[in-house]
Each structure stands twice: as C-alpha cells, then as structure tokens.
Amino acid sequence: MYLRIFSSLLVIGALTACEATQSPEPQGTTLDCAIGSGAEFDAVCTLEWIDEEWGQEFLIHHPGGGFRRFLIKEDVSGVIVKDGAEDVEMVDPSPKGLWQFSVNGDRYLMPTPPPSQV
C-alpha cells in the first residue's frame, strides 16, 4: 500500500517537474507571418540564421514552438524547404524589399538578401 502511494507521488512529482521546464525563446529577428488557414499577418514568428546571418540556411519559429527549416536558393531568387516534402510557393510580386512565400497554408514575409549578398 505504501509503495503504491509513494510510486504515485513520484510520478506526479516527475510530471510536475517536466511541465515547469520550458524551452528558451528562440534567438533572432521578429518576422511577420500568418500561421494557419485564414490567419492575418502578425509579427509573431522568429527568423533564426544557421551559422551566419544571410547564410544559406535559416529557421522560422512559429508561436507555440513549431518551426520550419529553409534554404536560400543558390541564385538568390527565393527559398526552398530544407526538411519535408512541402513545396514553397513564392508570391510574385512581393512587397518591395521582402520575399513573401507560403508553405502548406502558412505565409511568411522575410527581408530579401542585401545586394552585397547576391
């Protein structure tokens, strides 16, 4: 009997400890995105560069913990998804100085690379 009660308390304590641990907020630049069907653009995503700013690979973190990994195309004409089978749809024309693209209904606005990076 005591063993069952003690085991139950250990499980409850372990679950409580897991809930209290949160991942740190992603480091990077705030980005306008519209996550989910019918969503409006809002500055709630985070752009995180892998290795160096304006390198080839980057992550876009969604609110709530999701993310997508992208690559800038070699000809700097847009982006592609690095992981997964989804295709990127580049919106043309995009607002001046921005790339607008979507993946599976999620939409993003991202600054285009500066001319020195082309």
Side-chain angles (χ1 to χ4, degrees):
M1 172 93 171
Y2 291 112
L3 186 54
R4 281 190 210 163
I5 293 171
F6 182 72
S7 296
S8 297
L9 289 174
L10 281 177
V11 169
I12 291 170
L15 290 174
T16 303
C18 289
E19 290 176 11
T21 305
Q22 292 183 349
S23 298
E25 289 295 318
Q27 299 297 309
T29 307
T30 302
L31 198 68
D32 284 346
C33 62
I35 305 303
S37 179
E40 297 293 324
F41 279 104
D42 197 7
V44 294
C45 287
T46 304
L47 172 65
E48 177 187 359
W49 290 99
I50 306 300
D51 295 328
E52 61 184 72
E53 187 171 2
W54 296 110
Q56 187 179 8
E57 186 175 342
F58 61 95
L59 297 170
I60 295 181
H61 296 271
H62 299 171
F67 68 91
R68 282 207 170 93
R69 187 180 306 266
F70 295 94
L71 294 171
I72 295 179
K73 291 181 178 181
E74 286 188 32
D75 64 0
V76 196
S77 64
V79 301
I80 57 175
V81 176
K82 180 170 183 190
D83 302 326
E86 299 106 345
D87 289 327
V88 174
E89 181 182 330
M90 298 298 294
V91 176
D92 192 34
S94 293
K96 185 174 174 86
L98 297 172
W99 275 332
Q100 183 175 338
F101 55 96
S102 66
V103 178
N104 239 8
D106 296 337
R107 298 176 296 141
Y108 308 95
L109 281 174
M110 175 183 165
T112 56
S116 62
Q117 301 299 319
V118 178

